[in-house]
Amino acid sequence: MAEFQECLTESNLSDLDIRGTFFSWSNNRVEDPILRKLDRVLCNEKWREVFPDAISIFEAPGDSDHSPAVVRFTHVPEIRKCSFKYFSFISTHPKFLEELMKSWEESIPVGSKLFTLGQRLKRAKATCRRLNKEGFGNIQQKAGDALRNLKEIQEQLLSEPSDSLFRQEFVARRKWQFFETAQEIFFNRKARIRWLACGDANTKFFYKAVMAHHIRNCISYLVDGWGNRVFNQAQIKDMVVAYFQNLLGSADTLLIDISLEDLHGSFLIDVLSRLQINFC
């Protein structure tokens, strides 16, 4: 096992995210049953980049002693409204202070001081959200485009150097460093990691951590009342809502209504019984 683990480490292979049954092998002996996790689905970093939403589902073995492992690729990403989180790189926007002061100084309808503060905070949040979308929306693509532009200018500069290309290369480098730093801060916060173990530029490391966190928390499918797997996100939402409506919205037939008079009477009887016990 130590040699096998060393082989996986040298080959940069790790387990794909697992769903379904945990144990994958059984000896099928009633008198001496044994269950083990023998079967695994392995992948490398390139696989995770190309298929970030792929999962492995271990199903019931049926007549075999090994559980079949099914790798599922198709997953339609759902565009959902996420809560806004403030990142420090938003303050580097050239219009940050100007737009924030403008939204903060807008007149507020008549209300208490706490109400006024809440309204101003809401407007400041909307301003930060808009500046983030305008200046840092799709930060990965902007960082990649800035790097490609920098390399193109550098190729021209190293072939036919000129003062104009030197200035262009300086501006392009500053622009790329700006987006690269913002991207690193973004993935650092999203990855929820407070330590650095892979050097100074950890954007790729944080990106992988974010993707792994997303896959672990993702509900890939649910099993309905007939034992069928449901992968459609809209149907999964309906199943969850229906389950909790049935759990929390239905009346319990075992409960008995008690009037206020009965409650007072039972309370009085309980007090008298306690007094009698203490007196005895």
Side-chain angles (χ1 to χ4, degrees):
M1 291 302 297
E3 293 178 353
F4 178 68
Q5 188 64 33
E6 183 180 356
C7 175
L8 296 182
T9 303
E10 293 180 355
S11 303
N12 195 20
L13 294 174
S14 59
D15 289 283
L16 192 63
D17 197 58
I18 299 175
R19 299 289 191 275
T21 62
F22 177 77
F23 297 104
S24 62
W25 175 84
S26 172
N27 62 352
N28 292 331
R29 295 180 182 178
V30 180
E31 65 280 1
D32 185 23
I34 299 177
L35 297 174
R36 293 290 185 270
K37 176 63 177 177
L38 298 182
D39 303 274
R40 303 169 66 177
V41 179
L42 304 173
C43 63
N44 56 12
E45 293 184 0
K46 186 62 177 179
W47 175 281
R48 297 183 184 276
E49 293 177 1
V50 179
F51 307 106
D53 297 318
I55 58 173
S56 56
I57 304 175
F58 282 84
E59 300 181 346
D63 192 41
S64 175
D65 56 350
H66 286 268
S67 298
V70 180
V71 178
R72 182 176 177 86
F73 299 91
T74 56
H75 174 69
V76 179
E78 181 186 7
I79 300 176
R80 57 189 180 90
K81 186 177 180 180
C82 301
S83 60
F84 174 74
K85 294 180 177 59
Y86 176 82
F87 295 95
S88 58
F89 57 76
I90 301 178
S91 62
T92 61
H93 194 284
K95 296 183 179 180
F96 175 75
L97 291 178
E98 177 184 352
E99 295 294 330
L100 194 62
M101 290 297 297
K102 185 186 300 184
S103 63
W104 189 267
E105 293 175 353
E106 290 182 2
S107 59
I108 305 296
V110 178
S112 63
K113 294 183 178 180
L114 185 60
F115 174 79
T116 302
L117 176 62
Q119 293 298 313
R120 287 179 174 174
L121 289 176
K122 286 183 179 180
R123 294 181 179 181
K125 175 182 176 181
T127 300
C128 292
R129 185 191 293 270
R130 176 172 54 83
L131 294 177
N132 179 57
K133 185 177 181 180
E134 293 176 356
F136 305 97
N138 200 354
I139 190 67
Q140 287 181 270
Q141 182 177 354
K142 290 185 177 181
D145 294 341
L147 180 59
R148 283 189 291 271
N149 182 43
L150 174 62
K151 290 182 177 180
E152 291 177 0
I153 296 176
Q154 288 175 340
E155 289 178 357
Q156 300 177 15
L157 178 63
L158 296 176
S159 300
E160 298 178 1
S162 64
D163 295 338
S164 176
L165 288 176
F166 272 110
R167 287 191 295 269
Q168 293 180 25
E169 195 270 345
F170 176 79
V171 174
R173 181 184 294 274
R174 293 289 298 273
K175 183 178 180 180
W176 169 72
Q177 290 175 345
F178 172 78
F179 284 116
E180 187 69 17
T181 302
Q183 183 180 211
E184 183 177 347
I185 295 174
F186 173 78
F187 283 116
N188 186 355
R189 302 288 177 82
K190 292 285 285 185
R192 302 178 183 177
I193 293 176
R194 298 292 181 264
W195 45 266
L196 305 180
C198 301
D200 295 330
N202 297 296
T203 303
K204 189 175 182 180
F205 167 72
F206 290 131
Y207 174 76
K208 293 177 182 178
V210 170
M211 294 304 300
H213 179 75
H214 169 72
I215 294 174
R216 283 195 303 269
N217 292 341
C218 177
I219 300 177
S220 303
Y221 67 88
L222 291 179
V223 180
D224 59 14
W226 296 272
N228 301 318
R229 291 195 181 102
V230 178
F231 293 92
N232 185 274
Q233 295 296 317
Q235 294 179 359
I236 289 177
K237 286 184 177 180
D238 295 338
M239 289 177 60
V240 173
V241 172
Y243 173 79
F244 282 101
Q245 284 180 344
N246 182 58
L247 180 66
L248 304 175
S250 58
D252 192 344
T253 57
L254 300 178
L255 295 178
I256 302 176
D257 294 336
I258 301 177
S259 64
L260 187 60
E261 290 77 10
D262 295 336
L263 184 62
H264 287 166
S266 61
F267 175 74
L268 181 61
I269 293 174
D270 181 66
V271 171
L272 292 176
S273 63
R274 290 178 181 273
L275 290 175
Q276 184 178 5
I277 292 174
N278 293 333
F279 178 76
C280 294

